[in-house]
Amino acid sequence: MTDPKAIQPSELDQLPDRDPEETAEWQASLDAVTKAAGPHRAAYLMRRTLERAEGNGIALPKLLETDYVNTIPTAAEPVADGDEAMEHRIAAWNRWNAAAMVTRGSKHGVGGHIATFASAAWLYETGFNHFFKGKESQESPGSGDQLYIQGHASPGIYARAFLDGRLSEDHLDNFRRESGGNGLPSYPHPRRLPWLWEFPTVSMGLGPLSAIYQARFNRYLTNRNIKDVSASHVWAFLGDGEMDEPESTAALALASREGLDNLTFVINCNLQRLDGPVRANFKIVQELEAQFRGAGWNVIKTLWGTAWDELFQLDTTGALVRRLREVPDAQVQTYQTRDAAYIRADFFGKDPALAEMAKLLSDDKILECFHLSRGGHESRKVFAAYKAAVEFKGAPTVILAQTVKGFTLGEGFASKNANHQMKKLTVDEFKQMRDLLELPISDAQFVDGVVPYGHPGADSPEVRYLQERRAALGGPAPARRTQALAPLPAPAEKTFTSFDKGSGSQNIATTMAFVRLVKDLVRDKETGRRWVPIVPDEARTFGMESLFPSLGIYSPKGQTYEPVDRDQLMYYKEAKDGQILNEGITEAGSMADFIAASTSYSTHGEPMIPFYIFYSMFGWQRTADQMWQLGDQLGRGFLVGATAGRTTLTGEGLQHADGHSPVIAATNPAAMSYDPAFAYEVAVIVRDGLRRMYGEAAPGEDPNVFYYLTVYNEPIPQPAKPSGPAGTGIDEGIVKGLYRFNTAESAGLSPAANAPRIQLLGSGTAIHWALKAQRLLAEEWGVAADVWSATSWTELRRDALDADAALLRGEERVPYVRQALQGAEGPVLAVSDYMRQVPDQIAQWVEQDYSSLGADGFGLSDTRDAARRYFGVDAESIVVAGLAQLARRGEVKATAVKEARERYGL
């Protein structure tokens, strides 16, 4: 019978074979080896052949997985240029103090994590001693390397900063206790410890995503001749469990596609996540290797320590390698906690060849291999991997380093499923750890059962060595630069005031107005090149295609093709020095770009001005976690939620209709949230943002904020900026959140002297409904209405909260919203294109009777007019709601409300 495998069709069948006889000979040779020496020998020969082919430059698809062994053999390991014994003593002190810090803090109930750094200590120590460039690096001055530290490893980083004199014992004793000052945040938080941390990473998954885009942004700065940061290297330290987060692997293809060899992922594969094994029945290292290789990354596996070399030399049949590949991770973890007899029976006893090998091994040797010898715990192995990573060109590198979670912490910690939640060691466990690490700490130093911190002395050989190594690499790390930068010069005033005259009869949406403003700003001779336009593949939706030929779309390869629209004025132009970051359909990637650009002022000493424009519905709702990360990282720039509001997108429906982004934005203390109605308001807000973030911030103003503007796609004639007495203080009102746009009298409506009066507050596109309602109220109901533009409900609320806090301190302060509305007659009716919760933010500080309208509920597909009628926010609905307020006050007849409802068909 014919072997069915032999007749399976192949994609090669469709290609001509110029020498079928030669092909048959190769296949026959493979069959012969398989029959004579077995399939494992045949596989070995095939892999050797593939390696030779790759070495000769023959293009072949790569295997996605390799054996469960180290990528770099022991014989090929380079010799580190340092004192290995000294580095071991330094690492021992850091291990001790990291555990002591968390244990001492446990008496306050603040928690902390010990096991992660214990497993990853050498991954960090090797980098700090030999690879991580500081800000004073001659190769990359002012920038150095960018380090994304795994959040749960922060105690180890603090311990090292304590050893080199940057932190004191008081600091360590205030780990996770910040309210009294002089404390240390639980994880890497730049806003809480801005001289040390650069990148917040403990919202897992955001670190790897941000690291990729940081490496990409470094290339952007270099290719655009802003600053040469080609010597900066981005290091992201990650956990194997963290790789399950979708953001962790979302941009792997981008990194390889753009050849980001300035990027290294170091994944601590201790095989455990927070509650147990990462892949209990599988092998996470093999899975990650296939994933990264498939995405085009260079993969280095650092799995086994030198104790395993003897075992691999004894493996003449390949049985050991096969067994290592088949044992699931949870069983590897079990071996870590069992005796030699168990390992002999369960690991070696499964194969006769392995059983024979085990006879040659002592119990001590077996325990050394299975309990202690991991690649991630040996500085030589880690050094070899790091050196190979930084020397590899053409693609990013991932290092898969196998470790033991809780290593050196004793039998009670190592590989235990619960060790992530274990916050302290006993005194006896500390003494065992001391003996293991050979630290000169006496029993007498454990006063009243309190574990002491350990320090060899400021002038000790260990500290001198540590500081000398860091000096050679460019200073301390991690470190964030907070020195004052020279303010950027303000753009020409006419750039902003050109919007004051309005658009006349021309219909212009505020989205179009913003894009026009940006077009003028990027032409500025002083600051134009610092703008970083970011868009997730919807530039044409927002009218930005005119920027393509003038600014160019960034591509590290330039434009290797002739664009299909090259004969058109606004053709699709890519360039190596392009200014626009057109990210494709990835809001997460766009936000990561924005974060890198918005913090360039501190990362590289080069302030950049990013603006990221997106469908407002797909901003805060989809990437609010990254916007929190942006605030934590002290980023500056402009987020622009375009096609904003619940009802302005005709026909798009529920999934596109944003009625809540200002609510989410209001939860972020760093977000300055604005909902401007008119083009001149957009200009005033952007001008103020540039002043505050990049110019001269006023006393008491935090420049480390970002601005969120909602802009609309509804083309409407843009009014001129009010002038004269009515326009007094308008710019201040726009920035603070509220000003009176007009009165019934200034609108030419000539109300009767004793006419009932109401105050209509509107934001964004809703102000146009309010203006129509103003006219209807006057002409059909004899009611005078004044219209106010509420540019920021959130800023009004924050000012009022500050005023309330001041009153509790005994200071007299009146909220701005109360000042602005003081003396305004009648009730107040607020309306926006968002849920009522947005305007209701200010309700408790308005002295007048207050009511609101909003687009609550889910969006729907329809015309603008129909959608507004459905939600009860159109002009006629405003009229009915206003009459109802006045009727409750007895200022209009109650029947007017019913009459209006019937007249307008509500």
Side-chain angles (χ1 to χ4, degrees):
M1 181 181 293
T2 303
D3 183 353
K5 294 180 182 178
I7 60 173
Q8 292 296 311
S10 165
E11 67 269 19
L12 298 179
D13 291 343
Q14 62 195 305
L15 305 176
D17 186 346
R18 69 180 185 182
D19 194 341
E21 185 176 343
E22 181 182 38
T23 303
E25 289 176 358
W26 277 72
Q27 291 173 330
S29 296
L30 178 63
D31 292 343
V33 170
T34 304
K35 183 176 181 180
H40 302 299
R41 176 62 180 170
Y44 178 83
L45 291 175
M46 288 298 299
R47 287 182 57 190
R48 279 296 193 187
T49 303
L50 289 173
E51 284 182 356
R52 175 59 62 88
E54 184 175 354
N56 289 337
I58 300 173
L60 285 171
K62 292 187 177 181
L63 296 175
L64 293 185
E65 285 187 42
T66 61
D67 286 327
Y68 204 70
V69 297
N70 294 348
T71 303
I72 303 172
T74 299
E77 291 171 3
V79 177
D81 56 342
D83 185 333
E84 187 174 352
M86 182 68 74
E87 292 173 13
H88 273 265
R89 293 204 297 274
I90 291 170
W93 286 115
N94 292 336
R95 286 180 181 277
W96 176 272
N97 288 322
M101 178 195 326
V102 176
T103 297
R104 286 167 68 120
S106 66
K107 67 181 180 181
H108 303 290
V110 294
H113 300 288
I114 304 176
T116 294
F117 178 73
S119 67
W122 276 116
L123 303 181
Y124 293 105
E125 293 296 322
T126 304
F128 285 127
N129 288 329
H130 299 279
F131 292 94
F132 302 158
K133 293 184 286 292
K135 295 291 187 184
E136 286 85 33
S137 163
Q138 293 183 357
E139 299 171 278
S140 188
S143 297
D145 287 352
Q146 288 78 59
L147 309 179
Y148 288 78
I149 304 295
Q150 191 179 1
H152 294 133
S154 62
I157 309 305
Y158 291 140
R160 198 170 213 274
F162 169 65
L163 203 64
D164 71 11
R166 291 196 291 165
L167 292 177
S168 67
E169 286 195 14
D170 285 343
H171 284 114
L172 301 192
D173 268 345
N174 282 305
F175 174 60
R176 289 193 167 193
R177 293 196 298 153
E178 300 176 81
S179 62
N182 207 36
L184 299 179
S186 52
Y187 304 121
H189 289 306
R191 187 168 286 276
R192 289 300 182 208
L193 201 61
W195 60 267
L196 180 73
W197 297 119
E198 283 196 282
F199 308 108
T201 53
V202 85
S203 187
M204 287 188 284
L206 299 189
L209 179 67
S210 293
I212 290 174
Y213 280 88
Q214 181 67 56
R216 196 281 196 92
F217 188 74
N218 289 358
R219 290 282 172 84
Y220 173 88
L221 286 179
T222 301
N223 288 335
R224 288 197 55 221
N225 297 311
I226 301 292
K227 182 180 181 181
D228 184 358
V229 293
S230 55
S232 287
H233 201 87
V234 178
W235 300 82
F237 290 85
L238 317 167
D240 47 1
E242 180 178 5
M243 301 311 293
D244 283 345
E245 292 283 5
E247 296 89 349
S248 294
T249 55
L252 297 186
L254 167 73
S256 60
R257 183 169 67 245
E258 298 206 358
L260 298 181
D261 49 26
N262 59 338
L263 170 69
T264 297
F265 276 16
V266 181
I267 303 181
N268 178 16
C269 297
N270 57 34
L271 313 185
Q272 287 184 247
R273 51 188 177 202
L274 306 188
D275 290 324
V278 179
R279 293 289 183 273
N281 297 296
F282 305 93
K283 301 191 79 64
I284 186 60
V285 169
Q286 299 300 93
E287 179 181 320
L288 291 174
E289 178 184 27
Q291 193 169 15
F292 278 88
R293 283 186 183 276
W297 286 53
N298 175 43
V299 179
I300 298 174
K301 289 156 73 170
T302 302
L303 307 180
W304 306 112
T306 52
W308 283 83
D309 289 349
E310 179 184 340
L311 274 67
F312 289 126
Q313 289 299 312
L314 294 172
D315 186 26
T316 57
T317 65
L320 175 63
V321 172
R322 291 195 298 274
R323 181 68 177 136
L324 288 174
R325 285 198 67 177
E326 70 186 21
V327 175
D329 284 351
Q331 191 63 24
V332 173
Q333 183 179 343
T334 297
Y335 294 148
Q336 175 68 32
T337 64
R338 298 301 178 90
D339 59 21
Y342 178 88
I343 298 170
R344 284 182 186 277
D346 192 83
F347 181 84
F348 293 97
K350 300 293 184 181
D351 186 290
L354 288 180
E356 288 300 313
M357 179 191 296
K359 293 177 182 178
L360 304 175
L361 303 174
S362 67
D363 286 355
D364 287 345
K365 182 66 176 181
I366 289 176
L367 292 178
E368 180 187 13
C369 288
F370 284 85
H371 285 192
L372 302 175
S373 190
R374 298 289 188 275
H377 296 320
E378 295 190 11
S379 58
R380 294 181 183 182
K381 302 290 185 186
V382 177
F383 181 90
Y386 284 8
K387 190 171 189 294
V390 297
E391 292 178 351
F392 188 87
K393 301 303 176 187
T397 293
V398 59
I399 296 170
L400 304 174
Q402 185 166 256
T403 66
V404 174
K405 194 167 186 178
F407 189 68
T408 73
L409 298 181
E411 295 180 357
F413 261 85
S415 285
K416 300 297 185 184
N417 281 337
N419 61 20
H420 186 77
Q421 303 300 329
M422 296 162 68
K423 312 300 183 187
K424 59 184 178 180
L425 296 170
T426 66
V427 169
D428 286 342
E429 287 171 328
F430 265 109
K431 290 179 179 179
Q432 293 171 11
M433 182 182 178
R434 172 201 62 192
D435 296 341
L436 175 65
L437 298 176
E438 299 180 338
L439 290 172
I441 298 173
S442 67
D443 288 354
Q445 291 177 261
F446 290 82
V447 180
D448 297 327
V450 177
V451 58
Y453 292 121
H455 200 293
D459 196 40
S460 64
E462 292 91 337
V463 173
R464 288 201 307 272
Y465 180 89
L466 182 155
Q467 293 175 341
E468 287 168 2
R469 297 302 301 181
R470 289 311 315 158
L473 288 164
R480 182 179 181 274
R481 283 295 173 83
T482 57
Q483 77 275 18
L485 296 171
L488 293 181
E493 186 68 12
K494 66 179 181 180
T495 304
F496 304 101
T497 57
S498 63
F499 292 88
D500 290 356
K501 60 185 179 182
S503 65
S505 60
Q506 183 182 6
N507 290 335
I508 294 179
T510 50
T511 299
M512 297 165 62
F514 176 82
V515 172
R516 198 187 97 186
L517 174 62
V518 168
K519 286 175 65 176
D520 291 339
L521 289 169
V522 296
R523 295 192 187 105
D524 184 84
K525 292 182 180 180
E526 297 290 337
T527 60
R529 72 192 189 110
R530 295 190 178 276
W531 283 85
V532 184
I534 302 168
V535 60
D537 200 40
E538 292 262 18
R540 297 181 194 278
T541 300
F542 308 133
M544 291 176 58
E545 64 270 26
S546 61
L547 298 177
F548 288 171
S550 59
L551 300 184
I553 299 166
Y554 173 73
S555 169
K557 290 184 176 294
Q559 192 154 36
T560 61
Y561 60 92
E562 183 178 357
V564 68
D565 54 359
R566 181 63 182 86
D567 57 342
Q568 298 178 17
L569 180 63
M570 292 183 286
Y571 69 97
Y572 197 84
K573 177 186 174 183
E574 296 188 79
K576 190 173 182 179
D577 62 350
Q579 193 164 349
I580 301 169
L581 291 171
N582 192 351
E583 288 305 338
I585 305 175
T586 168
E587 289 83 3
S590 299
M591 270 305 303
D593 251 339
F594 186 90
I595 291 169
S598 70
T599 53
S600 180
Y601 74 93
S602 61
T603 307
H604 296 298
E606 291 288 346
M608 303 298 286
I609 312 171
F611 80 86
Y612 164 35
I613 188 167
F614 50 88
Y615 266 81
S616 65
M617 183 64 162
F618 306 137
W620 287 89
Q621 175 169 292
R622 182 165 288 186
T623 58
D625 195 13
Q626 287 177 284
M627 291 165 178
W628 195 269
Q629 178 191 12
L630 167 65
D632 194 359
Q633 201 166 316
L634 293 89
R636 305 170 183 176
F638 296 94
L639 296 176
V640 183
T643 58
R646 184 79 86 193
T647 68
T648 59
L649 268 173
T650 53
E652 288 286 3
L654 184 153
Q655 290 183 335
H656 286 65
D658 172 24
H660 53 280
S661 69
V663 176
I664 309 175
T667 66
N668 191 312
M672 308 289 292
S673 179
Y674 287 92
D675 187 25
F678 306 124
Y680 67 80
E681 293 178 352
V682 172
V684 168
I685 294 165
V686 171
R687 179 178 60 188
D688 184 70
L690 289 172
R691 173 199 62 79
R692 177 170 178 171
M693 294 185 291
Y694 299 96
E696 297 283 359
E701 277 188 328
D702 182 4
N704 299 314
V705 295
F706 59 93
Y707 280 60
Y708 175 57
L709 283 75
T710 48
V711 292
Y712 297 82
N713 70 328
E714 189 167 6
I716 293 174
Q718 293 295 324
K721 188 177 181 180
S723 59
T728 302
I730 280 183
D731 283 10
E732 179 188 21
I734 291 171
V735 172
K736 288 190 172 181
L738 182 68
Y739 70 96
R740 186 160 56 191
F741 176 72
N742 69 14
T743 63
E745 290 77 9
S746 65
L749 297 175
S750 304
N754 61 346
R757 188 170 289 267
I758 189 171
Q759 308 298 318
L760 302 179
L761 278 57
S763 69
T765 195
I767 203 168
H768 299 287
W769 323 330
L771 289 168
K772 181 180 177 182
Q774 179 189 44
R775 190 180 71 251
L776 291 175
L777 283 166
E779 294 175 353
E780 299 185 13
W781 306 99
V783 172
D786 301 336
V787 176
W788 300 69
S789 180
T791 53
S792 180
W793 310 100
T794 300
E795 288 308 303
L796 292 173
R797 175 179 176 81
R798 287 174 176 169
D799 171 80
L801 289 171
D802 288 344
D804 286 354
L807 285 174
L808 293 177
R809 295 192 300 267
E811 304 170 20
E812 288 296 327
R813 244 191 81 188
V814 179
Y816 174 78
V817 64
R818 189 169 294 168
Q819 295 178 45
L821 290 170
Q822 188 172 13
E825 299 178 32
V828 170
L829 176 60
V831 61
S832 78
D833 202 16
Y834 297 94
M835 55 199 301
R836 288 177 62 180
Q837 188 174 341
V838 174
D840 283 352
Q841 290 180 87
I842 66 169
Q844 72 185 83
W845 293 281
V846 175
E847 294 182 313
Q848 294 88 341
D849 292 339
Y850 186 88
S851 186
S852 65
L853 296 175
D856 285 76
F858 289 109
L860 77 166
S861 302
D862 216 312
T863 64
R864 291 186 180 114
D865 289 342
R868 286 161 188 168
R869 177 57 58 90
Y870 173 85
F871 286 110
V873 292
D874 59 354
E876 291 80 5
S877 297
I878 294 173
V879 169
V880 171
L883 291 174
Q885 277 185 284
L886 292 168
R888 285 194 294 271
R889 295 162 58 92
E891 296 180 26
V892 300
K893 294 180 179 179
T895 56
V897 180
K898 182 175 183 294
E899 182 183 345
R901 194 166 56 243
E902 292 174 350
R903 180 182 301 183
Y904 301 134
L906 296 178

